[in-house]
Amino acid sequence: MLSLFAGATGDILLDSLPSVPGTLPHFLKEPEDSYIIKSNPIKLLCRAVPALQIFFKCNGEWVHQNEHVSREYMDQNTGLKVREVLINVSRQQVEDFHGPEDYWCLCVAWSHLGTSKSRKATVHIAYLRKNFEQDPQGKEVPIKGMIVLHCRPPEGVPTAEVEWLKNEELVSSLTDDNIDTRADHNLIINEARLSDSGNYTCLASNIVAKRRSATATVVVFVNGGWSLWTEWSPCNVPCGRGVQKRSRTCTNPAPLNGGAFCQGMSVQKITCNALCPIDGGWEKWSEWTACSVQCERQRRRECNNPPPRHRGIMCEGPSNATENCTGGMCTQNGKLLHDVKPQSMDGSNDVALYSGLGSGVIVVAVLVVAVMLYRRSQSNYGVDVIDSSALTGGFQSFTFKTTRQGSPLLLNSSLQPELTVGRTYSSPICFKDSIDNKELFDPLPDNKVKVQSSFMVSLGVADRAEYHAPKGHPPETFPRGLNRDYSNSTVERRSTKKGLLTPNGPPLTPTKDQMRTTGVFGHLGGRLVVPNTGVSLLVPHGAITEDTSWEMCMVINQGESSFQTEEGCEILLGPEVTYGPRGLDLSSPVAMTIAHCAEVDTENWNIQLKRKTQDNSWEEVMSVEDESTFCYCLMDSSSCHLLLDQPGSYALVGEPLTQAAVKRLKLAVFGSMGATPMHYSLRVYCVDDTPYAFQGVVATETSRGGQLLEEPKMLPFRGNTFSLQVYIQDVPQFLWSIKPFTTCQEFSFSQVWCSNQKPLHCAFSLERNSPTTTQLSCKISVRQVKGHEQILQVYTSVAESKKESVPFFTQMDCTVTSQAGPKAFKIPLSIRQRICATFDTANAKGKDWQLLAQKLHLDRNLSYFLKQQSPSAVILSLWEARHQDTGDLDSLASALEEIGKIHSKSTAAKSQENPESDLVHHLGTGSPGNPVCGMGELTQS
């Protein structure tokens, strides 16, 4: 029978076998649908009972018996014979089949009672294409908006299943009701939340492979909303017509993830009228009263002509007057006064009285002479003035309020809400002339000031921290003579005094492209300042040997920069500064401060200090993040403080490491009348955010009579190669006209990024539609493509008027820019010497100056301080340079207090073991014999 089925006619005979009533073969296992993966064949299995024989039939044809693998066994439970047959199907067989249907196979089993057929099992070649039919696309969606990400997986057999990943983590709709991943492989987020921002990926997979789609970035943004208005501010003038303001902020909510900024005005202004104060005036004296029994008569007057009103001043002088009305002939007990002899006084009492008075006068005279001799012995050190305003000398904080009358550069309309810009500039702008401006350094010339701060008590000098000024003789802040104090920067001169050295010829030759300041300094040191540039030089005490003076100078190069960028990578972050003269011989480094415009971030910037060589090329001195024993560099947010040993030309250079590097720009808008009375010109400046760079703008606008229309603002400019665009918006079209296609102007990235402290500007020309138009309001939008944006609000009067142009925050009468001697420093000389003597001394824990550097936050690059003769003195010089704008000694006092507490604890714990710990206790006593600074208050914790 097997040969019949295996022959050519077996197909016909098997199909023609009669169906015998009774039990037919029953399939225990039928062939299943299968997939061929790569080139691996699949196996099809059939199992039937009772069965005499089983054969496979594929695509209507019998499979040869040699391709069958058969097995037969007896079922122990039923006693029936079970037959099992297995065949292999290869990839080649499937690929060679070309029929109307998929490749299929079934098995036929028969017994002596008849035949049975199994189900058809299909065989496919499994695969998964590489490319998605549709990748998900990134979206920017407002918060609570719906997010729909579409995904159509690649073609494949079997059909690929789709999953979603967010930031490489599986997204499941089972754990988050806000997410639906079941609809046609799409991802649906019903209400977007901030946490839904991220990178989404569609993942398709079947039994063959897994495929990842392109990543879609979803950003959920928040549009800004205005907060409530603040209360109206008080009228900004004490008398007359002024302005009240109120403001609101775009913080309800604040724009987030690129959301739109609030539309509308952030500041509202209205005019106000403040009642002017009226000072009181005296009425006429009343008539004298009758002579009293005390021989006196009186008269009075009232402060009612007029009475003081609206915070006016009360009348000065007495309101009552009394005088003797008998010419000294007043009677007593009926007798004239000169006839009455005192009963209680005799000759002996007169002698005792006059003897006591004489002794008192002598004692007072001796005390006065002793005090004068003591003060004369102390005056050479210049450290008795402990009042903080006197200690800071010329480096006090000044507040300048640009008002309508004081700064006409800031244009305001008397008919409209005032746009006065309030701005406080705290910086060592300059030193005033000693004759006309003594109050700058002597704020209390006629008073006696006694300061009992914990810092001064700790240094043991509070008991004599008094400042005396003779009545009627204000102290001479600037002693005469170059060898003592000050020199004028506007006068070029050479001193012929004994000990003044100027080797190698002139220190520097000034040119028209330089800002230059000079000063003569001796052993006491001093300071040079270039006004309004953020550049200064501190020469510490003791840097110049005794009996020697140097004429020192500092120059800022205003011409075309000699620094050349390398392949456009490096840029100047501040002005080129030179100090000299050449051949200057100092025993300790000077401290130079240079303002810069970089957002300091070591991950994004490589900032270097460079120095000009003799052949006018630039060489690297150090990177600001490196440690060096030849130079010290301290970067603050807006200034760089350098400790330098050698004179020369220096520049701060930055190389961006990533596109996230940011330099600050200062934006300012100026206005002036155009070529005709009907035209008005707006000029927008974009300049590196340093005081020196902005001075170029001030000088330009001063020469052309420009008026500052809005407070300058800062814009972070990223190194992402995108340009800077300037728009003019919200111009009233019915009042003003502007040429078409000129409302937007653009600076290329290289122009802005490589400006090297030179100002860039663009101009908008507007024309009045009517001569009666006197007001202009608009917005200037400055934005970097794919970066930050700033809005300059313009609201001004354009009526023609002759106004004197005064540079913004500039003092035109400032001429003295150098200061020598103790008044140039915040820390009095004797206190500085005591601190150095204390912290330069070694103890069991090492050098105390390291603890001082740590508490003053100057504990980087300690190897530089270690090589100095007095590390503490160099640390204090760096502190002086860093805090020249703050005007107080609080941070130094706080550091000393912390150190005092540390030492007091160690003294209590180890005084029995370590004799060195007695030093702190000795400092605490503040005894006169102690050569170092007493810290009594610091050790009393």
Side-chain angles (χ1 to χ4, degrees), residues 663-924:
K663 82 167 186 176
R664 301 185 310 274
L665 298 179
K666 178 168 286 188
L667 310 176
V669 55
F670 288 80
S672 63
M673 298 301 296
T676 68
M678 298 295 289
H679 288 81
Y680 193 79
S681 176
L682 292 178
R683 293 176 296 281
V684 182
Y685 288 85
C686 306
V687 62
D688 293 349
D689 188 15
T690 62
Y692 162 73
F694 192 65
Q695 282 304 299
V697 177
V698 172
T700 300
E701 285 300 321
T702 301
S703 64
R704 66 172 57 180
Q707 303 292 327
L708 184 67
L709 304 182
E710 169 67 312
E711 180 181 2
K713 294 185 177 181
M714 190 276 290
L715 175 72
F717 188 77
R718 298 167 63 92
N720 57 8
T721 71
F722 289 101
S723 61
L724 188 71
Q725 297 176 340
V726 183
Y727 297 86
I728 184 170
Q729 302 171 344
D730 299 345
V731 178
Q733 297 182 358
F734 58 94
L735 296 176
W736 294 88
S737 60
I738 186 172
K739 292 181 180 180
F741 311 111
T742 62
T743 57
C744 175
Q745 302 188 41
E746 188 169 10
F747 297 110
S748 68
F749 172 80
S750 60
Q751 284 180 296
V752 181
W753 191 254
C754 302
S755 61
N756 288 341
Q757 304 290 299
K758 299 301 180 183
L760 301 173
H761 86 280
C762 61
F764 297 97
S765 180
L766 294 89
E767 183 176 1
R768 286 186 280 185
N769 295 332
S770 170
T772 60
T773 302
T774 60
Q775 300 295 322
L776 171 62
S777 63
C778 63
K779 290 181 182 178
I780 304 293
S781 171
V782 184
R783 63 179 292 269
Q784 184 185 17
V785 178
K786 295 189 178 181
H788 293 82
E789 180 181 20
Q790 274 287 15
I791 301 294
L792 298 172
Q793 182 69 47
V794 175
Y795 188 88
T796 184
S797 170
V798 296
E800 291 188 83
S801 61
K802 286 287 185 178
K803 295 193 176 182
E804 181 184 1
S805 298
V806 178
F808 185 62
F809 73 78
T810 301
Q811 293 172 278
M812 297 302 293
D813 58 343
C814 177
T815 57
V816 179
T817 56
S818 67
Q819 188 178 26
K823 289 189 174 68
F825 303 95
K826 288 182 173 22
I827 307 173
L829 178 56
S830 64
I831 298 176
R832 176 188 176 95
Q833 291 172 337
R834 296 181 192 181
I835 293 176
C836 294
T838 299
F839 291 105
D840 284 342
T841 304
N843 62 17
K845 294 185 178 180
K847 288 288 186 179
D848 273 344
W849 62 262
Q850 298 184 19
L851 184 59
L852 177 65
Q854 176 187 351
K855 294 304 179 182
L856 294 179
H857 309 292
L858 302 174
D859 52 347
R860 192 182 65 82
N861 196 7
L862 293 179
S863 58
Y864 179 84
F865 299 123
L866 182 62
K867 75 156 191 173
Q868 304 298 326
Q869 182 178 359
S870 174
S872 300
V874 179
I875 291 172
L876 293 178
S877 296
L878 186 58
W879 182 91
E880 287 263 7
R882 192 179 192 184
H883 294 83
Q884 61 181 315
D885 298 344
T886 58
D888 57 52
L889 298 168
D890 290 346
S891 61
L892 180 60
S894 299
L896 294 176
E897 286 180 349
E898 290 184 29
I899 296 173
K901 291 177 182 178
I902 294 173
H903 278 255
S904 64
K905 293 179 181 178
S906 63
T907 299
K910 300 183 179 181
S911 59
Q912 300 295 329
E913 306 171 5
N914 185 7
E916 293 287 335
S917 62
D918 292 338
L919 173 62
V920 178
H921 177 71
H922 191 49
L923 294 176

Side-chain angles (χ1 to χ4, degrees), residues 210-230:
K210 289 184 177 181
R211 307 285 186 231
R212 293 170 60 96
S213 70
T215 299
T217 300
V218 174
V219 177
V220 180
F221 62 85
V222 178
N223 291 324
W226 288 115
S227 66
L228 297 177
W229 288 102
T230 61

Side-chain angles (χ1 to χ4, degrees), residues 439-466:
E439 68 277 3
L440 183 61
F441 297 103
D442 302 323
L444 299 173
D446 297 322
N447 295 328
K448 174 180 175 182
V449 181
K450 186 170 183 178
V451 179
Q452 294 285 355
S453 68
S454 61
F455 170 59
M456 296 308 166
V457 173
S458 70
L459 294 176
V461 297
D463 292 338
R464 58 187 181 86
E466 299 181 0

Side-chain angles (χ1 to χ4, degrees), residues 245-474:
K245 302 179 184 179
R246 68 173 183 174
S247 61
R248 57 180 178 174
T249 57
C250 189
T251 56
N252 187 31
L256 193 63
N257 294 340
F261 196 80
C262 303
Q263 297 294 319
M265 305 288 292
S266 62
V267 177
Q268 284 186 345
K269 302 179 182 180
I270 59 173
T271 58
C272 57
N273 286 291
L275 296 175
C276 296
I278 300 175
D279 297 338
W282 289 114
E283 292 181 343
K284 292 183 178 181
W285 286 101
S286 64
E287 297 295 330
W288 288 104
T289 61
C291 195
S292 66
V293 294
Q294 288 81 19
C295 304
E296 292 179 344
R297 63 177 182 176
Q298 297 178 343
R299 65 176 180 177
R300 60 181 295 108
R301 57 180 177 175
E302 299 291 338
C303 186
N304 288 327
N305 187 31
R309 288 180 294 174
H310 313 315
R311 306 176 307 280
I313 301 174
M314 287 292 294
C315 303
E316 295 183 358
S319 60
N320 294 305
T322 303
E323 69 175 12
N324 188 283
C325 54
T326 61
M329 300 298 293
C330 185
T331 59
Q332 182 177 357
N333 296 327
K335 298 181 180 180
L336 291 176
L337 187 60
H338 59 78
D339 294 333
V340 179
K341 296 182 180 180
Q343 301 294 326
S344 60
M345 188 175 299
D346 55 17
S348 61
N349 289 340
D350 290 340
V351 173
L353 174 62
Y354 292 128
S355 299
L357 290 176
S359 300
V361 170
I362 294 173
V363 171
V364 171
V366 171
L367 288 176
V368 169
V369 171
V371 170
M372 291 179 64
L373 292 175
Y374 173 76
R375 288 181 54 79
R376 180 174 300 176
S377 66
Q378 297 295 320
S379 62
N380 292 332
Y381 298 99
V383 299
D384 290 334
V385 184
I386 308 300
D387 175 32
S388 62
S389 63
L391 287 176
T392 55
F395 295 86
Q396 304 182 60
S397 295
F398 303 101
T399 301
F400 298 98
K401 173 76 173 178
T402 55
T403 61
R404 184 190 317 275
Q405 296 81 3
S407 293
L409 182 62
L410 187 58
L411 182 61
N412 297 291
S413 170
S414 61
L415 302 177
Q416 294 295 331
E418 185 183 25
L419 288 177
T420 299
V421 177
R423 184 77 180 263
T424 300
Y425 296 90
S426 180
S427 63
I429 294 181
C430 70
F431 306 110
K432 290 284 189 174
D433 190 294
S434 63
I435 298 176
D436 299 329
N437 298 281
K438 290 186 174 61
E439 68 277 3
L440 183 61
F441 297 103
D442 302 323
L444 299 173
D446 297 322
N447 295 328
K448 174 180 175 182
V449 181
K450 186 170 183 178
V451 179
Q452 294 285 355
S453 68
S454 61
F455 170 59
M456 296 308 166
V457 173
S458 70
L459 294 176
V461 297
D463 292 338
R464 58 187 181 86
E466 299 181 0
Y467 176 38
H468 298 269
K471 184 176 181 181
H473 298 279

